[in-house]
Amino acid sequence: MINDHDILETINMIAQEHLDVRTITMGISLNSCIDSDVDKCCDKIYDKICKRAEHLVETGMEIEKEYGIPIINKRISVTPIAQIAAAAAGENKNFNCTPFALALQKAADTCGVNFIGGFSALVQKGFSVSDIALINSIPEALTVTNNVCSSVNIASTKAGINMDAVAMMGKVIKQLAYNTKDADSIGCAKLVVFANVPEDNPFMAGAFHGTGEGECMINVGVSGPGVVKKALEKCDGTLSDVAETVKKTAFKITRMGQLVATEASKRLGVPFGIVDLSLAPTPAVGDSVAYILEEMGLESCGCCGTTAALALLNDAVKKGGVMASSHVGGLSGAFIPVSEDAGMINAVKCGSLPIEKLEAMTAVCSVGLDMIAVPGDTDENVISALIADEAAIGVVNSKTTAVRVIPAYGKTVGDSVAFGGLLGEAPVMNISGYSPAKFIGRGGRIPAPIQSLKN
């Protein structure tokens, strides 16, 4: 039973503590658009997306106005384009998938969404011809589009790590950084490399509509670091009390997300998929995961104890979320992107948070090394090795990990890149320059760990 206190508490969370629905994401299957003719396939993609998502933005705005809940982004995710392009690519490894990205951009413009995700490939065990074609097209595709996001899954606990794909992605990221150098290499902010990628993630840049999903689904991503921090300001008890406070707060946040998801599903006539409860921060003061960790008792995010505090936070968020909704999914937990979190930015600048500590934290957060800027002259093999390290954490621990790294062309440690909006700004971080080239050059696969044999 909702009482006056609950209503006033929610209003206060929205007005003063940065509580929002970060995204309503409509997932759309493009399997019916497959055609051996590129132009016909792209036309089908555009038509289907526009038909399905015609009312997505206006519906989100209606819900926002009616309930007073800020809905920051309206987004679309689609079937991985590498699968849809297979018929057109045939046996041509040099096939250019950029026309598909342009079709997605055209559809995003028509529908008025903030981002569209799914220029993606799943290559954890090997490549199809169209997978190779799509990966090679990423630098051009993300340079000539504004709202298209791309992801590549290069590892899983079941398959191990595809090191040939890892090597390719180092080259791709470096080329994309160069292509978009005049905008602080922003293209790299639209590309993420995954291990154990979820198929129902509503957050960009990693959203795509997985093969196990329905024809069309509504997934909602909820955020609320500021709300959690505010709740902890009133908690003077033990760490058990801290966990309980986070859990109760996450429950309230998820219930709001469930309401928005149910309403959007009903009004759009599309099945509800999941609520992703991820504490996704923003550059706004107070809306920071780092500040939550510091409220627990750390002098600065990155000091000893940070990984333990983050583990507590991530677990409590998930426990609160699953009590509030039967369909919690995606990446649910705590994000630790540097550029998008004011507290993380401060911690990097003061020296308490080096990249090595961030990597340790990814073992217990909900994703991985996210929105990390490194010097523009960082060797492609170092980028690949960073991806391999992060994938290893995910594969061995049976969790999702990812890398969204920005080699900031023309910049070095002490400089920063600025993207504006939710992407924020990132100080360029130091990364080891010792060469892993021989290791990356071996290629092949790192085998799946023994714990993958669960059948």
Side-chain angles (χ1 to χ4, degrees):
M1 185 82 173
I2 297 176
N3 56 39
D4 290 346
H5 173 76
D6 293 329
I7 295 170
L8 290 171
E9 185 180 44
T10 302
I11 291 171
N12 187 57
M13 287 177 178
I14 292 169
Q16 299 180 26
E17 298 165 15
H18 306 288
L19 177 61
D20 60 55
V21 170
R22 186 56 49 85
T23 178
I24 295 178
T25 302
M26 177 179 281
I28 303 172
S29 170
L30 298 183
N31 289 326
S32 61
C33 301
I34 293 172
D35 198 295
S36 59
D37 184 286
V38 175
D39 293 335
K40 289 181 179 177
C41 187
C42 288
D43 287 343
K44 290 179 182 179
I45 288 171
Y46 173 78
D47 291 341
K48 183 166 188 180
I49 292 172
C50 291
K51 181 180 179 181
R52 287 288 188 176
E54 179 182 7
H55 300 295
L56 176 63
V57 172
E58 67 177 87
T59 298
M61 293 173 67
E62 287 171 1
I63 295 170
E64 187 174 14
K65 184 177 180 180
E66 187 173 331
Y67 289 93
I69 299 170
I71 300 173
I72 307 303
N73 284 305
K74 294 83 179 175
R75 301 167 173 171
I76 296 169
S77 63
V78 299
T79 309
I81 290 297
Q83 298 174 21
I84 306 305
E91 297 301 315
N92 181 11
K93 292 183 179 180
N94 296 317
F95 180 80
N96 189 345
C97 290
T98 301
F100 294 93
L102 292 171
L104 294 179
Q105 181 64 57
K106 183 181 176 183
D109 290 339
T110 300
C111 296
V113 295
N114 304 93
F115 290 106
I116 185 165
F119 195 77
S120 306
L122 310 179
V123 295
Q124 57 268 23
K125 202 169 185 179
F127 304 96
S128 68
V129 171
S130 60
D131 289 328
I132 294 174
L134 183 129
I135 291 172
N136 288 333
S137 300
I138 288 173
E140 180 185 357
L142 296 193
T143 301
V144 300
T145 58
N146 295 318
N147 306 92
V148 175
C149 291
S150 179
S151 58
V152 178
N153 192 70
I154 50 85
S156 72
T157 299
K158 279 291 186 182
I161 305 173
N162 182 346
M163 291 299 292
D164 294 320
V166 168
M168 288 180 71
M169 292 313 300
K171 294 182 175 69
V172 164
I173 290 168
K174 284 284 288 185
Q175 184 62 50
L176 182 55
Y178 176 79
N179 286 3
T180 56
K181 64 183 185 297
D182 293 337
D184 278 348
S185 300
I186 193 172
C188 297
K190 300 184 291 177
L191 170 64
V192 58
V193 185
F194 274 108
N196 290 321
V197 67
E199 296 189 346
D200 56 4
N201 165 30
F203 286 98
M204 298 296 171
F208 67 88
H209 191 66
T211 54
E213 299 293 296
E215 178 68 17
C216 189
M217 307 288 284
I218 288 292
N219 299 317
V220 168
V222 183
S223 182
V227 178
V228 174
K229 181 184 180 299
K230 199 71 175 179
L232 289 179
E233 289 175 3
K234 304 167 188 173
C235 177
D236 296 323
T238 68
L239 290 176
S240 297
D241 298 320
V242 167
E244 192 66 21
T245 299
V246 173
K247 188 168 67 174
K248 289 177 178 178
T249 307
F251 176 88
K252 295 171 185 175
I253 296 170
T254 308
R255 292 299 286 176
M256 185 194 74
Q258 176 84 12
L259 168 65
V260 171
T262 302
E263 278 297 311
S265 172
K266 182 173 65 177
R267 297 183 189 197
L268 291 166
V270 174
F272 160 55
I274 58 95
V275 174
D276 185 322
L277 175 61
S278 288
L279 297 183
T282 73
V285 175
D287 200 27
S288 162
V289 169
Y291 290 157
I292 295 174
L293 303 179
E294 290 169 5
E295 189 62 42
M296 289 184 188
L298 304 176
E299 181 179 2
S300 179
C301 180
C303 71
C304 292
T306 298
T307 306
L310 182 59
L312 183 158
L313 175 64
N314 210 49
D315 180 66
V317 165
K318 290 175 189 264
K319 287 174 178 174
V322 297
M323 287 296 292
S325 174
S326 297
H327 300 288
V328 172
L331 298 166
S332 294
F335 287 3
I336 53 171
V338 172
S339 78
E340 300 170 9
D341 187 307
M344 293 285 180
I345 293 170
N346 292 339
V348 171
K349 287 182 175 179
C350 79
S352 70
L353 185 59
I355 200 167
E356 293 81 9
K357 184 60 176 181
L358 269 170
E359 183 177 304
M361 292 164 66
T362 65
V364 298
C365 78
S366 64
V367 194
L369 291 170
D370 195 14
M371 292 300 287
I372 309 294
V374 297
D377 61 358
T378 302
D379 184 77
E380 63 189 40
N381 290 298
V382 173
I383 300 294
S384 292
L386 184 70
I387 292 169
D389 284 344
E390 196 58 33
I393 291 173
V395 166
V396 171
N397 291 287
S398 301
K399 73 180 291 291
T400 299
T401 52
V403 172
R404 191 162 43 147
V405 62
I406 301 139
Y409 189 84
K411 299 199 174 184
T412 189
V413 177
D415 296 331
S416 64
V417 293
F419 304 123
L422 289 176
L423 294 177
E425 66 168 300
V428 177
M429 302 181 71
N430 185 53
I431 186 169
S432 173
Y434 288 98
S435 178
K438 183 177 179 180
F439 176 71
I440 297 299
R442 288 179 179 271
R445 278 173 39 213
I446 294 179
I450 191 67
Q451 57 264 42
S452 68
L453 301 176
K454 294 181 179 179
N455 291 341

